[in-house]
């Protein structure tokens, strides 16, 4: 928005320091007055988190009551049939995560709306650079998988701690886990990273890889990387050692059925009892798609 000529005075986004509501204001009175502005144009960034927030849903309802012009951006994990509430899923929006000709055309339509409402005239070059940089940055962000949503399991043994995550470093996107089969009768220990509702179809078509860095104590030499595809856990075996190693696994190594890639909810790191000689630590870092 800034790159095409809008300023902080033109934008209200309550979760950004430059454009938040000032202290001492009543948030609902302020929003009510703001929504009465004739030139108002509302952009919804819709996600599962959005729909779980009563405040966000109240704001959506207020926009609907005011009949303000609006646009839906669909964030990662959300598809058009998932749009609900007073905005409804029949209104054409933009699904983020692509930088193709259809998405660019939709953004060009958005530019025409903003030009008419706010009397701005960005140069074609500035606009195209801003648009393409934004779309590419969204794609890059989606390729990084948040490892903070993870848990450890001893398969068929919920009572013991043969496998436990002892530390998570969110800023470094790192999991530190401890594997100790002397504490469980289980034959398998899992570190499960929950991926939400992620569509990997375009990654598969474009021959992308699942990538991460890993290392382990001397007690572990072999683990399985598993993807949950079409409700089936499909493994790929990798060797690791005490030296940090960069792992790159082509998605095609897991499955060649394109329909299976529409929903990848989990990525697992599985340790087999038979491949562990003693209590050991396992570290997984920077899980991503490249």
């Amino acid at each position: 928005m800034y790159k095409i000529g809008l300023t902080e005075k033109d934008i209200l986004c309550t979760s950004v320091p430059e454009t938040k509501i000032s202290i001492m204001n009543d948030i609902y009175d302020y929003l009510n007055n703001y929504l009465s502005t004739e030139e108002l144009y509302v952009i919804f960034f819709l996600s599962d988190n959005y729909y779980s927030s009563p405040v966000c849903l109240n704001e959506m309802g207020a926009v609907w009551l005011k009949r303000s012009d609006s646009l839906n951006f669909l964030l990662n994990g959300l598809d058009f049939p998932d749009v609900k509430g007073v905005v409804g899923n029949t209104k054409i929006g933009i699904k983020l995560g692509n930088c193709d000709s259809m998405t660019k055309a939709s953004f060009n339509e958005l530019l025409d709306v903003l030009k008419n409402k706010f009397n701005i005239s960005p140069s074609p070059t500035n606009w195209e650079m801003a648009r393409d940089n934004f779309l590419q940055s969204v794609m890059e962000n989606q390729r990084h998988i948040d490892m903070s949503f993870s848990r450890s399991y001893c398969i068929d043994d919920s009572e013991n701690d043969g496998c436990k995550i002892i530390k998570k470093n969110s800023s470094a996107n790192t999991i530190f886990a401890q594997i100790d089969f002397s504490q469980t009768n289980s034959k398998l220990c899992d570190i499960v990273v929950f991926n939400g509702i992620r569509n990997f179809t375009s990654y598969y078509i474009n021959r992308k890889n699942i990538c991460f860095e890993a290392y382990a104590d001397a007690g572990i030499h072999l683990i399985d990387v598993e993807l949950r595809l079409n409700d089936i856990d499909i493994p790929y075996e990798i060797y690791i050692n005490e030296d940090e190693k960069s792992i790159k696994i082509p998605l095609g190594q897991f499955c060649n059925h394109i329909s299976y890639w529409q929903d990848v909810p989990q990525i697992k790191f599985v340790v087999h009892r038979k491949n562990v000689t003693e209590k050991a630590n396992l570290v997984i870092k920077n899980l991503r798609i490249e």
Side-chain angles (χ1 to χ4, degrees):
M1 295 298 181
Y2 294 151
K3 289 178 180 177
I4 62 174
L6 295 177
T7 69
E8 288 90 344
K9 294 181 180 179
D10 300 312
I11 302 170
L12 173 64
C13 180
T14 57
S15 56
V16 177
E18 298 93 331
T19 58
K20 72 177 185 66
I21 298 173
S22 300
I23 61 172
M24 304 303 293
N25 280 295
D26 182 288
I27 185 171
Y28 293 109
D29 287 344
Y30 190 94
L31 288 172
N32 184 58
N33 292 332
Y34 208 90
L35 289 170
S36 300
T37 305
E38 292 183 3
E39 287 77 22
L40 187 71
Y41 190 72
V42 179
I43 298 177
F44 293 109
F45 288 86
L46 300 179
S47 66
D48 290 333
N49 284 342
Y50 186 98
Y51 283 113
S52 66
S53 167
V55 174
C56 288
L57 294 177
N58 286 341
E59 292 175 356
M60 178 187 281
V63 170
W64 178 78
L65 286 172
K66 295 288 186 178
R67 297 293 190 268
S68 300
D69 291 337
S70 65
L71 171 69
N72 297 336
F73 278 167
L74 277 63
L75 300 187
N76 180 43
L78 211 68
D79 213 337
F80 291 106
D82 301 317
V83 176
K84 52 186 180 290
V86 294
V87 169
N89 58 20
T90 58
K91 188 170 185 176
I92 300 297
I94 301 176
K95 184 175 180 179
L96 298 177
N98 295 297
C99 194
D100 55 16
S101 57
M102 289 290 290
T103 306
K104 290 181 180 180
S106 296
F107 266 75
N108 291 343
E109 294 175 26
L110 170 61
L111 175 64
D112 289 337
V113 172
L114 297 176
K115 286 166 66 175
N116 291 332
K117 283 189 172 293
F118 298 99
N119 195 29
I120 54 175
S121 300
S123 71
T125 300
N126 283 347
W127 162 247
E128 289 178 9
M129 290 178 63
R131 177 199 64 196
D132 292 355
N133 287 341
F134 175 75
L135 292 175
Q136 288 291 345
S137 70
V138 173
M139 292 176 66
E140 289 300 318
N141 286 337
Q142 288 191 351
R143 288 176 185 166
H144 285 79
I145 296 168
D146 187 354
M147 298 178 69
S148 61
F149 296 99
S150 57
R151 289 191 63 185
S152 55
Y153 298 92
C154 293
I155 304 304
D156 296 325
D157 182 5
S158 60
E159 300 298 323
N160 297 297
D161 285 332
C163 176
K164 58 182 177 181
I165 295 174
I166 55 177
K167 182 182 177 183
K168 298 178 189 178
N169 187 332
S170 299
S171 61
N173 210 24
T174 302
I175 291 173
F176 300 84
Q178 188 175 85
I179 310 297
D180 185 0
F181 279 104
S182 69
Q183 300 296 315
T184 177
N185 292 320
S186 176
K187 293 182 180 180
L188 298 174
C189 287
D190 288 1
I191 306 298
V192 183
V193 178
F194 296 97
N195 196 33
I197 304 173
R198 291 287 297 272
N199 190 330
F200 277 22
T201 304
S202 63
Y203 298 149
Y204 170 72
I205 292 172
N206 291 300
R207 300 182 179 181
K208 298 298 184 181
N209 309 285
I210 186 163
C211 303
F212 56 92
E213 286 76 52
Y215 62 92
D217 293 344
I220 300 176
H221 304 285
L222 192 68
I223 66 173
D224 287 345
V225 180
E226 290 186 357
L227 299 188
R228 172 67 63 86
L229 303 174
N230 201 36
D231 292 327
I232 301 171
D233 290 325
I234 302 178
Y236 184 88
E237 192 175 73
I238 64 168
Y239 290 90
I240 57 175
N241 55 40
E242 294 176 89
D243 297 320
E244 184 173 310
K245 183 178 179 181
S246 293
I247 309 295
K248 179 182 287 188
I249 309 170
L251 294 180
Q253 293 286 343
F254 292 95
C255 176
N256 286 315
H257 296 284
I258 191 169
S259 62
Y260 281 27
W261 293 99
Q262 292 180 2
D263 182 5
V264 185
Q266 296 178 4
I267 301 171
K268 297 183 180 180
F269 300 91
V270 183
V271 183
H272 296 251
R273 175 186 288 273
K274 63 182 180 180
N275 295 326
V276 178
T277 58
E278 59 188 70
K279 178 180 176 181
N281 295 309
L282 171 66
V283 179
I284 308 292
K285 300 172 61 176
N286 198 23
L287 186 59
R288 63 200 184 276
I289 302 294
E290 289 183 351

